[in-house]
Amino acid sequence: MEPIGVVDIGSNSVRLVVYEGAVRAPTPVFNEKILCGLGRSVASTGSLSIDAVDRALAALARFRVIAQILRVKNLTVIATAAVREAQNGPDFIEQGERAIGAKIEILSGEKEARLAAQGIMMGFVDADGIAGDLGGGSLELIDLEQSKLKEAATLPLGGLRLIDTTGNKVDRAIDVIDNALLSLPWLKNGAGRTFYAVGGTWRALAKLQMDRVDYPLRVMQGYRLTAREALDLCEQFRKAKKPTDIPGITGVARARREVLPFGALVLERLLRLMEPRQVVFSVFGIREGLIYGLLPPHERARDPLISFCEDYAGLRSRSLAHAYELCDWTDQLFADPALEETAEERRLRHAACLLSDVNWRAHPDYRGEQSVNTIAHAGLGGVDHQGRIFLALSVYHRHEASENNGDHLSDRLRSLVSKRVQRRARIVGAAIRAAHMLSIGTAGVIDQTPLSHEGGDLILTIPAAYAPLDGERLRRRFETLASLVGKRPEIRIIR
């Protein structure tokens, strides 16, 4: 893969993200933003301020050198609402292209919305709901049904624009926001569905909520709140006499704090109008949407979670082929009707198998603990927090036989998932643990040692060539697995 870079010149920030390559689950190797505030005064003056332009040009010059150091040959540079609408936007583009050494594309509102939609498609499987991407100058709204774009629009409701047009008076923004939202009657189609929240301001709101409830998994992608929880959070800002009264606000970057009350108000008015079931936060936006647009159809069709796990296993595990064998081997275990699983549960089990050996280089005493941290906080897409925790716990149990050895994080993560998820994680972990006693992490063994069910027995069949592997440790691990699935263990040697 060749690194690919995206420079996003937004109304509030200028950001460079360099990805490993144009793939279904892109991993950033560099990510830096500089809050320049280009859109701070566009609504009232019609122009980008001189100070903001100077900061943005300095950022672009820095990003040019960084891209050269990282050997980025494919650098895409885009500009959004502030530059699109400012009278001196063309002058800025001319200077900016000299600073960055590349062509700058000014996105139309329509294209900005389409790229935001593609970003949601990059990060979620069969996204269904309305997505909103809130920037400093504009709000893009997109109706997605099974990841197909139905409706899209852009509205002048960015945080900096609202500060500018209302004189930094939150109460004055209510009518401005409501009038703009009511111009889109299709927003009512969001009732009972998911609202996907994109943009730094809304992610800052989510972080405040995580701090507020001491949420143990500090990963923004896929974090969800009920509509009521999100409304309660937003109402804090409207009712507070000043933003500094909000608990945890000092943990938010100073440049972001001023737009938070307006971002919270936009989200509140949206939720009241749409009445969605839940709010899901996304770190995937127009930059990832650009990458998605570069992918061929067959790559777009890949599962983002499985794609990431395959790539990660290829980099960190001893054998990717063995990881695939684990998927097939555990298929045999879950063929028992008593262990019936949904398509989503099967998908997550396969992902756990692919990730099961990525921490094999860690110290044996800490492999379980490190696996929880590595997998729970990995850059996964296409999975919610429940699924993410299942993966982390499954690989934890692949290394640790007992829950009593759990570290503080794994104990807290268990509290977020159902007993069914916890049980499945223990079973999957125990199966992988038993399989490794046969395969020693090497491909070509467990595909010759199938599992089967006969009445109340779980059968492990071993060919004569591998009969010496039938030892005490294998039997202990296989007995544990059989016990977890309510079966009697039997090992058969074929002579």
Side-chain angles (χ1 to χ4, degrees):
M1 294 187 293
E2 288 191 352
I4 182 170
V6 178
V7 176
D8 180 2
I9 304 171
S11 299
N12 197 20
S13 64
V14 177
R15 184 189 292 265
L16 167 66
V17 184
V18 177
Y19 302 91
E20 279 187 313
V23 294
R24 185 62 180 87
T27 300
V29 296
F30 182 85
N31 188 337
E32 179 175 300
K33 72 176 178 183
I34 298 176
L35 294 169
C36 300
L38 280 171
R40 183 175 299 279
S41 59
V42 171
S44 58
T45 69
S47 298
L48 308 170
S49 74
I50 299 301
D51 288 345
V53 166
D54 288 343
R55 288 197 298 274
L57 292 176
L60 293 175
R62 170 176 166 79
F63 292 164
R64 179 179 186 172
V65 176
I66 291 171
Q68 291 170 347
I69 292 171
L70 295 176
R71 294 183 171 86
V72 176
K73 297 177 183 178
N74 187 342
L75 183 66
T76 300
V77 189
I78 57 173
T80 55
V83 177
R84 181 170 68 234
E85 298 168 7
Q87 295 173 359
N88 57 344
D91 292 337
F92 170 78
I93 291 296
E94 183 179 340
Q95 297 176 72
E97 289 180 343
R98 287 199 297 269
I100 193 64
K103 181 74 174 174
I104 299 176
E105 178 185 1
I106 302 177
L107 299 181
S108 66
E110 178 184 355
K111 185 167 184 180
E112 196 171 346
R114 187 169 73 250
L115 289 175
Q118 291 180 178
I120 295 296
M121 295 174 196
M122 184 72 108
F124 297 88
V125 175
D126 293 332
D128 194 317
I130 291 179
D133 188 346
L134 182 67
S138 64
L139 167 67
E140 279 63 54
L141 290 164
I142 311 101
D143 188 345
L144 291 163
E145 184 175 352
Q146 297 297 302
S147 288
K148 290 183 173 61
L149 178 61
K150 293 183 64 179
E151 303 277 1
T154 183
L155 298 174
L157 298 179
L160 288 180
R161 179 186 289 272
L162 288 172
I163 289 174
D164 193 16
T165 56
T166 65
N168 203 14
K169 303 294 184 184
V170 174
D171 289 344
R172 293 181 187 174
I174 295 176
D175 288 341
V176 174
I177 295 168
D178 286 350
N179 289 336
L181 295 178
L182 288 171
S183 69
L184 304 178
W186 53 265
L187 289 177
K188 291 284 190 178
N189 296 334
R193 298 166 72 198
T194 296
F195 179 71
Y196 298 92
V198 185
T201 299
W202 284 341
R203 288 195 296 272
L205 282 175
K207 182 179 182 299
L208 285 176
Q209 178 70 3
M210 287 179 169
D211 292 339
R212 178 185 182 186
V213 301
D214 194 23
Y215 191 72
L217 184 55
R218 295 308 175 96
V219 173
M220 197 58 61
Q221 176 64 19
Y223 179 58
R224 64 185 62 211
L225 299 173
T226 66
R228 182 67 261 171
E229 288 171 333
L231 279 170
D232 289 345
L233 176 64
C234 293
E235 286 174 353
Q236 279 194 49
F237 283 87
R238 186 162 46 78
K239 295 175 180 178
K241 293 181 179 179
K242 52 185 184 296
T244 51
D245 292 339
I246 304 297
I249 194 72
T250 54
V252 177
R254 188 176 298 275
R256 182 72 70 188
R257 285 181 220 167
E258 64 174 339
V259 298
L260 270 179
F262 292 90
L265 184 61
V266 172
L267 182 57
E268 179 190 339
R269 306 314 291 180
L270 265 169
L271 297 181
R272 293 193 184 282
L273 176 65
M274 290 168 41
E275 299 182 337
R277 183 179 80 260
Q278 62 181 355
V279 178
V280 175
F281 293 88
S282 173
V283 301
F284 291 77
I286 63 173
R287 292 177 294 275
E288 290 73 23
L290 275 168
I291 304 297
Y292 186 86
L294 297 175
L295 301 179
H298 72 274
E299 187 71 15
R300 291 186 188 184
R302 295 184 68 193
D303 183 318
L305 173 63
I306 300 301
S307 178
F308 177 92
C309 294
E310 287 172 345
D311 291 344
Y312 199 48
L315 290 170
R316 299 289 296 273
S317 65
R318 283 171 287 188
S319 169
L320 178 58
H322 179 257
Y324 289 130
E325 289 178 355
L326 284 171
C327 297
D328 296 335
W329 200 75
T330 57
D331 280 347
Q332 299 162 19
L333 175 66
F334 282 85
D336 183 2
L339 294 173
E340 182 180 5
E341 58 185 354
T342 66
E344 176 62 12
E345 287 174 334
R346 181 177 187 272
R347 171 179 175 262
L348 289 172
R349 172 168 56 80
H350 283 186
C353 290
L354 292 170
L355 293 174
S356 63
D357 202 39
V358 296
N359 275 86
W360 72 276
R361 291 181 182 273
H363 188 284
D365 293 344
Y366 299 100
R367 284 177 187 154
E369 180 179 343
Q370 290 195 21
S371 293
V372 168
N373 278 286
T374 298
I375 295 170
H377 299 101
L380 304 171
V383 66
D384 61 14
H385 279 207
Q386 298 281 307
R388 185 184 286 269
I389 293 169
F390 167 79
L391 297 177
L393 292 179
S394 294
V395 183
Y396 171 83
H397 288 303
R398 171 259 187 274
H399 293 291
E400 298 286 351
S402 171
E403 286 189 0
N404 296 330
N405 296 332
D407 62 286
H408 182 58
L409 177 59
S410 63
D411 290 340
R412 296 187 68 207
L413 293 180
R414 285 190 190 93
S415 70
L416 298 178
V417 296
S418 67
K419 293 295 184 182
R420 176 181 174 87
V421 170
Q422 294 181 45
R423 177 173 180 267
R424 282 181 50 79
R426 289 210 67 191
I427 292 170
V428 172
I432 296 170
R433 188 171 172 82
H436 272 270
M437 287 306 299
L438 280 168
S439 66
I440 324 301
T442 302
V445 178
I446 60 172
D447 60 346
Q448 300 180 57
T449 60
L451 291 172
S452 59
H453 300 269
E454 291 184 10
D457 296 334
L458 178 64
I459 313 298
L460 172 61
T461 302
I462 302 177
Y466 293 122
L469 294 175
D470 178 20
E472 292 182 7
R473 295 189 67 193
L474 171 62
R475 286 185 174 267
R476 283 201 302 270
R477 292 191 179 187
F478 187 62
E479 287 168 4
T480 297
L481 174 61
S483 175
L484 287 171
V485 299
K487 299 278 184 165
R488 295 182 295 272
E490 180 181 342
I491 295 179
R492 293 177 181 174
I493 307 297
I494 300 179
R495 301 295 179 183

